[in-house]
Structures are given as C-alpha cells and as structure tokens.
Amino acid sequence: GQTLSQEAVNAVNEVRARVGLPGISVNSGQQLFQAIINERRLELAFEQVRRRDIARWGIGPQVLPGKFIAGKHELLPIPQ
C-alpha cells in the first residue's frame, strides 16, 4: 500500500485538481506539512478556521509576530 505521506500528497492533489491547479510533489515531511498549511490557508480562506489551525500547529508566534502570544492565544474563551 501507499505510505501515509503519499496518501496526504494524493489528498492535497485531489483538492488542487478540483480547481485546475497543478499537483504538488514533496521530498520531506516538512515540505508536506508546509504544503498542507498553504493548502488549508487557500482552501479555507474566510471560513474562520485559520486562527485555530495556527494555534493547533504551534506556529502562531512565527506567523503573527507581536500579535499572537504563546500561552495565551491558544486558549478559547469559556462561554458563560
């Protein structure tokens, strides 16, 4: 069978093919992760999920320097 990373590349390419974009090819897990980050950023623009993705992946301080405080902005408010 296929490796997990090849399945992920195939899934990203399936989404890209749906809108006529060329497929991706990656040589490492880090490149695959960056491709997934970019694809979610493009595919889910204006869907209100970016902040949660940034917090979940632990990349807030790098993506939003000065606006994302580690240890604070990963938390969601508790409704009353």
Side-chain angles (χ1 to χ4, degrees):
Q2 295 179 338
T3 64
L4 185 60
S5 60
Q6 187 57 47
E7 288 181 35
V9 168
N10 292 344
V12 170
N13 286 338
E14 185 178 334
V15 171
R16 293 177 64 82
R18 181 180 52 81
V19 293
L21 292 173
I24 63 165
S25 62
V26 296
N27 297 321
S28 70
Q30 184 61 32
Q31 284 181 343
L32 176 57
F33 182 59
Q34 289 301 318
I36 291 170
I37 288 173
N38 187 53
E39 200 59 39
R40 284 187 61 86
R41 183 174 165 205
L42 296 173
E43 185 69 22
L44 300 173
F46 306 110
E47 300 276 340
Q48 310 302 320
V49 296
R50 180 82 174 137
R51 183 190 167 287
R52 288 187 181 137
D53 282 348
I54 288 170
R56 176 179 44 231
W57 295 326
I59 60 172
Q62 295 87 6
V63 175
L64 300 169
K67 296 180 182 177
F68 191 99
I69 301 169
K72 177 180 178 183
H73 290 133
E74 294 96 349
L75 306 174
L76 295 173
I78 299 172
Q80 290 190 6

